[in-house]
Every structure is written in structure tokens, then in C-alpha cells.
Amino acid sequence: MTSRDIMKSKYKQRGGTCLLASYAFLLEYAGVFQSNRFIRGVYDVMAEYLIFHNTIEPIERFTAEKIESLGEEAERMIGKAINSYCFAHGHIAGYQQIKNFHQWLTNRGTVSNIEIVTVMPPIGKPRSKPIVDAFRTLSFFLKKENVQEYYGSLILYLAGKGAHTVFLGYDGDFFIRDSNYSCVTCNNASFDFTFNSQSSITEYMLFKIHK
């Protein structure tokens, strides 16, 4: 495992980008921001996503600096692009899109130390009910102690009329990095989500990070 102290980004979403931001937090937790010349922060991940999205349909591309300066305008455009990608691929879920984006980054040599362990539920399975044993499974992996690797997860839970994604890590205790806040928020997320045996996780994505 590694410490949450590595997560120094102060990013706070302005336009419904929790899915992509949470993936960026995973890269930060994996040390990518410290070691990669192309991806040095959340806005770089968004800029890379726009290049990736052009593989299925033309879309305006912005640099990381432009996305940051445009703020909500750019982030809402990116949010719409994420939704259109899911529709264009047979109404797949957002985590399947992140899986494709991660593979694209890996193939380009941009990310090399992160392996996808699983995406739950699988394609075609219901995504509106809490996953049985999600807490137990994620706890088992995130608490593993290994000098060569550690784990991180994206979790999605129903919140009000929609859903919300956050990054979940473990460094001796569970912590959440939520894009609705500008810092690590420990066990509190936007809708009083609690990671425990009664959790309302309806989707999750588990990653192995190689040191």
C-alpha cells in the first residue's frame, strides 16, 4: 500500500466529471503524476481523454491549461462526451469506458504500472442494486500488504436521482477522494456514503498498482 499523502491535487469538479476525475485520482495514488511527463494532474487526464474520444467521433480538443481556464464550460463538454461514448458503444456503463480509456493509455505507453483486476458488475448484468459482498471483496484486496504491489478502487453508488463515483484507497485505514471536495475526505463523501457492510455500491472497478 501507499499513503494518501501522495494525493496532493486540490481539484474540485465543476461540471459533472466525477467518473474521469476519480480515475485521475487513481493515477495520482499510483504515482503517475510524479513520474509521467505527459500526465501531471487531473486536467492532463481530461486532455488525454479528449484525444481518446476522437477515436470514435470528432470533438474539440483542449490542452490541460485550457480546460482549467474554461472551468465549468469545458468540464460540462467533457461530461457530455463521456455520456455520448457510452451511448455509441451500446449503452455501456461508465466503468467499461474507463476500462477502454485505461487500455488506450497503456497501449500508448502513458500508463504502465496499473493493471485492471475486475469491473463489476459484468456487461449485461443489472447495475441498479447494491453488489453482494462488494465490501468484503474490496476490503480483502485493498488491505493486502505486498512490497511489490497495492490496490485502489473506483466505486459507484446511487445518490438521489443519480449516481456518484469516488476513489477508494487504503493506507492502514480506508479513505475516499471525492471530486466534490478539494481534498481527501476520509470516510465522508458527497451523500454521506459510508464504506461498510451495509454499503450501497452498485458498481466498482478494482486496480492493482505495481510499485
Side-chain angles (χ1 to χ4, degrees), residues 21-31 114 152-154 167 207 209:
S22 295
Y23 174 70
F25 298 150
L26 163 78
L27 300 190
E28 184 178 24
Y29 190 58
I114 307 171
S153 180
L154 306 190
F167 170 77
F207 300 84
I209 302 165

Side-chain angles (χ1 to χ4, degrees), residues 172-208:
D173 194 7
F174 293 107
F175 67 91
I176 282 172
R177 178 65 173 93
D178 184 341
S179 60
N180 281 340
Y181 299 91
S182 60
C183 60
V184 174
T185 54
C186 298
N187 287 327
N188 299 316
S190 305
F191 300 91
D192 295 323
F193 174 86
T194 302
F195 184 66
N196 58 31
S197 58
Q198 303 300 317
S199 65
S200 55
I201 296 172
T202 59
E203 298 178 40
Y204 68 77
M205 193 169 188
L206 179 66
F207 300 84
K208 180 190 294 185

Side-chain angles (χ1 to χ4, degrees), residues 23-39:
Y23 174 70
F25 298 150
L26 163 78
L27 300 190
E28 184 178 24
Y29 190 58
V32 172
F33 289 1
Q34 296 182 348
S35 62
N36 194 289
R37 54 182 290 203
F38 300 110
I39 297 181

Side-chain angles (χ1 to χ4, degrees), residues 16 18 38 71 99 101 144 161 164 202 211:
C18 66
F38 300 110
K99 179 180 179 180
F101 180 41
K144 276 188 173 183
K161 295 182 179 180
H164 187 53
T202 59
K211 295 183 180 179

Side-chain angles (χ1 to χ4, degrees), residues 17 19 51 54 59 73 106 108 115 130 134 141 149 161 201:
T17 54
L19 176 69
I51 299 173
N54 267 265
I59 189 172
E73 177 186 350
T106 301
R108 296 176 75 216
E115 173 187 344
F141 281 98
E149 63 200 30
K161 295 182 179 180
I201 296 172

